[in-house]
Amino acid sequence: MKVKRITAANMQQALRQVTQELGSDAVILSSKKVDQGFEVVAATDYQSGDAEAQAEVERQLTLQRELEQTRRQLQPEASERAEAQVPPQQKAREQKVREQFAQPSAPDSGELRRMSGELKELKNWLVSHQGSPWDQERPMTWQQSQLWQRCQDVGLEPAWSDRLVSRLQPADNLDDSWRQALQLMEQDLPVANLPWLEQGGRYALLGPTGAGKTTTIGKMAAQFVIRHGAESVALITLDNYRIAAHDQLKTFAKILGVRWLRAPQDGTLPELLKKVAKAKLVLIDSAGLASQDPHFTEQLSMLKDCGNAVKKLLVLPLTSQGRCLQENYEHFKSAALHGCIFTKLDECFCLGPAMSIAALARLPLTLVTDGPHIPDDLHMPEASKLVRLAEQMARMARTRWPVPEAAYAALR
Ligand SMILES: Nc1nc2c(ncn2[C@@H]2O[C@H](COP(=O)(O)OP(=O)(O)OP(=O)(O)O)[C@@H](O)[C@H]2O)c(=O)[nH]1
Ligand SMILES: [Mg+2]
């Protein structure tokens, strides 16, 4: 309930003022003639007969009266006149009000110290959340640092994250900027759809142990045989360093009914390539050797000798750690790589590290495998699909983490 006492020159004016100030639903509680004209007491949300409402009316009127008196007291010309009429309790209240206006209270030094400490903490927090730790020279805005963090969640290399974030146009909100970042990611990821399935060619697959080189060759050969016939394919293995290593490829060749040769037992690689000159598709398998292995350089130089006649594709298993993939790239890049193949997409939970290698080294992605089955689990890559998948994996990882965190918090 709201109560108001209104004084006007005549009753009409008083009623108009009531409607203006309290609305058309206001109820007139009393009216009387006074020296200045008419005084009207009106209320909104008033329920007659209610003792509590009546008491509330009295309380509000008393307060209004006191307020008016205080206002008059604060006017210098009227202060002396009114002083005599003010009761002692009210005088004390007025005194307090005056003191407060005259001397705004200053926080004590302890309070100041606390506030300045909090400001310092806030400043440090802001500074610590700005900028890439990899590039101290280039400060980032809050939005950029949030986007940079999202790139990390996707598993991107800091160098690529830096490049992406610095190219973004400022946007009104984080999600719009993130959409922009995903588009740039897609543009940065080089994809080359080699015409191997239509036209054939000479390809050698290199990469770390167990990456899926031989299995991928089996898939490629099988798909090609289905389309062009067994006589159009030849398989060559360089893997004669490990006991029975070439058995796997030999078995594939037998099942598919295609020609199979070994280097150097059946001749040097250039000689073997001449022997299978009629085959439309020639696939060369290599042994997964550690870079410290003495045969590693030997095998690599055999491939280098073929020059551009053989396209070398680096097989990167998506299940490997980012740092391992980087090292693999460093070891094999001297073979003059034409592109890369991502394997084991079906077992992978973070695509960013392999995508970073392709993007930063400008090494086109040529094929993706997503299972061990021959010939089905081999596909042409699409940058947009891979980027979307990479983001989904990051989101999935984020939603999984809070559970163990909560469980951990409960133990403390
Ligand atoms: N889940 C899954 N497994 C795969 C994929 N590609 C290959 N594999 C499996 O990975 C294992 C190793 O595959 P290989 O083709 O022998 O690997 P490699 O690179 O030839 O290995 P090395 O000759 O020892 O260097 C095998 O068990 C394959 O079935 C894939 O895309 N997904
Ligand atoms: Mg193999």
Side-chain angles (χ1 to χ4, degrees), residues 316-391:
L316 294 170
L318 296 172
T319 44
S320 280
Q321 288 174 349
R323 192 47 58 84
C324 295
L325 294 176
Q326 274 175 1
E327 288 303 315
N328 292 330
Y329 169 71
E330 290 301 322
H331 292 147
F332 289 101
K333 73 177 180 193
S334 65
L337 299 169
H338 287 74
C340 62
I341 297 175
F342 287 175
T343 55
K344 309 196 181 182
L345 181 64
D346 55 315
E347 291 183 343
C348 146
F349 295 98
C350 186
L351 258 170
M355 276 170 38
S356 301
I357 291 179
L360 292 172
R362 305 299 310 150
L363 189 65
L365 176 60
T366 58
L367 287 168
V368 176
T369 78
D370 60 355
H373 306 293
I374 298 173
D376 297 328
D377 299 336
L378 177 75
H379 312 277
M380 301 292 179
E382 273 181 52
S384 60
K385 275 192 189 166
L386 285 170
V387 168
R388 220 170 34 241
L389 198 58
E391 197 218 9

Side-chain angles (χ1 to χ4, degrees), residues 208-215 237 239 242 245 248-249 285-288:
T209 320
K213 299 178 291 295
T214 312
T215 313
T237 182
D239 193 356
R242 301 175 298 176
Q248 195 187 354
L249 197 73
D285 194 13
S286 62

